[in-house]
Amino acid sequence: MDKNISKKTVGILMPGDMGHGCGQAFKENGFNVVSCLNQRSERTKKLAYTAGIKDLKTIDNVIKSSDLILSILPPESALKQAEAINSKILKLKKQITYVDCNAISPKTAKKISDTISSKFCNFIDAGIIGLNPIVEKGQTRLYVSGPNTDPVKVLNGNGFIIKDLGRDIGKASAMKMIYASATKGTFALHAAVLTTAHKLGLSPEYFEELKFSKPEMLSAMERMVPRIPLDAGRWEGEMHEIADTFSDAGITPKFHQASADMMKLANKTPIAKETRETVDQNRSLIEALDMYVEALKK
């Protein structure tokens, strides 16, 4: 182990499903990991405690103690958090690296970069691809870009595989958007197709056809559609960021605007009140589709 690693402190804001796994992986690789759990849910606090993340009670304390901060939260909160962090960095006059790991468009990444004071803070644009590092056994990819990405490379092989895309802010976020546009966008399309088939009374016949002609597609549907609601609240905002990314590239945003609508629908189902720890593992695809169709009435 690098002797310098144990001296490094990583702040994680906020340690939810992805963040707590990152924190646990960093801890297991010799880093100190801290956060501020004030006003966080009991579930988040429990996840952080289990991961060994130390609660420093205030954001000021996290900034004072950290060598670098990773921002990992729903995309619609990314800019607001960056503004809050920047005001505290200016007050504390603390030199620090701020790594925005959120699922945001390149345009949003540039807004955040412009928000952060370059006098005290080194901003790194980043995008996480893969599940959290504990689930991925250290194979989670962190794509990064910016004028100085060196400080985050201490995490390479210590929870993340770091992929450097160069000096341009927005490049890493673009990579995340493109990847998620296909993965989560496909999940949304599958949910839309199955909900339509179910509402029209064609589920048995459609499943039979898929078993014959596209068994791998049916398997993907069975695996993901019942679980979309667990993340739909976060993924709705991500779909809007993807739509903006496509629009800015001159490509129609309508695919992912529609995907956002499906995430909103999924978030209305009873499944959305469950968590990864409490989700009914035995729920069938048909039972989930009953809930999707019922949610259409809300």
Side-chain angles (χ1 to χ4, degrees):
M1 182 185 297
D2 186 335
K3 292 180 180 179
N4 292 324
I5 284 177
S6 62
K7 298 177 183 178
K8 296 287 185 183
T9 298
V10 180
I12 295 182
L13 303 173
M14 301 294 181
D17 285 316
M18 176 61 73
H20 91 279
C22 293
Q24 183 175 331
F26 302 155
K27 282 281 294 182
E28 290 177 358
N29 283 282
F31 293 85
N32 301 313
V33 184
V34 300
S35 187
C36 169
L37 301 178
N38 184 33
Q39 296 183 328
R40 306 305 299 173
S41 70
E42 288 304 313
R43 176 174 180 261
T44 295
K45 291 176 181 178
K46 184 176 180 180
L47 288 172
Y49 175 79
T50 302
I53 298 171
K54 186 175 181 180
D55 180 14
L56 297 186
K57 308 300 182 183
T58 70
I59 299 294
D60 283 29
N61 288 339
V62 172
I63 294 171
K64 290 175 184 176
S65 301
S66 299
D67 296 292
L68 66 158
I69 290 176
L70 272 58
S71 172
I72 309 174
L73 72 167
E76 60 270 21
S77 300
L79 180 57
K80 184 178 180 180
Q81 176 168 271
E83 290 170 345
I85 294 294
N86 184 62
S87 66
K88 293 181 180 297
I89 289 172
L90 290 173
K91 181 184 72 174
L92 295 169
K93 295 181 171 57
K94 168 72 186 292
Q95 296 289 337
I96 198 165
T97 293
Y98 185 81
V99 188
D100 191 290
C101 303
N102 300 304
I104 54 176
S105 70
K107 182 163 59 179
T108 302
K110 289 170 185 174
K111 284 182 182 178
I112 292 174
S113 177
D114 290 342
T115 294
I116 297 291
S117 169
S118 58
K119 181 178 181 180
F120 296 106
C121 185
N122 173 41
F123 177 77
I124 298 176
D125 175 31
I128 301 172
I129 293 182
L131 301 174
N132 82 52
I134 297 302
V135 178
E136 292 273 14
K137 302 186 186 304
Q139 297 301 299
T140 304
R141 284 80 65 208
L142 184 72
Y143 284 83
V144 298
S145 63
N148 179 16
T149 58
D150 286 344
V152 79
K153 291 179 181 177
V154 71
L155 302 178
N156 188 46
N158 294 302
F160 283 140
I161 296 174
I162 303 294
K163 302 275 191 176
D164 196 331
L165 295 178
R167 296 179 60 84
D168 295 340
I169 296 294
K171 203 73 171 288
S173 287
M175 181 67 177
K176 170 68 175 179
M177 294 288 92
I178 292 167
Y179 184 87
S181 71
T183 54
K184 295 165 188 172
T186 299
F187 301 159
L189 175 60
H190 284 172
V193 169
L194 290 178
T195 302
T196 302
H198 201 56
K199 187 171 183 183
L200 297 178
L202 284 170
S203 290
E205 293 83 359
Y206 184 53
F207 290 171
E208 190 64 30
E209 175 57 37
L210 288 178
K211 285 178 184 177
F212 176 76
S213 61
K214 296 288 182 182
E216 70 288 345
M217 183 183 294
L218 178 59
S219 177
M221 288 172 164
E222 289 174 329
R223 184 174 64 254
M224 280 308 303
V225 171
R227 297 184 66 86
I228 288 173
L230 300 178
D231 296 293
R234 292 186 296 108
W235 288 354
E236 181 184 349
E238 187 170 343
M239 293 303 103
H240 287 301
E241 292 289 326
I242 291 170
D244 287 346
T245 301
F246 275 50
S247 180
D248 289 341
I251 307 296
T252 178
K254 294 178 183 179
F255 290 111
H256 296 94
Q257 290 170 346
S259 294
D261 289 342
M262 285 308 301
M263 296 303 175
K264 181 180 290 186
L265 177 67
N267 200 38
K268 293 178 182 178
T269 68
I271 304 170
K273 296 179 181 178
E274 300 175 10
T275 67
R276 294 179 190 273
E277 296 80 32
T278 65
V279 64
D280 182 355
Q281 301 288 350
N282 298 315
R283 180 180 287 115
S284 70
L285 179 55
I286 288 292
E287 289 171 329
L289 292 176
D290 286 339
M291 295 180 189
Y292 276 84
V293 170
E294 186 64 26
L296 287 169
K297 303 174 185 177
K298 297 179 181 178

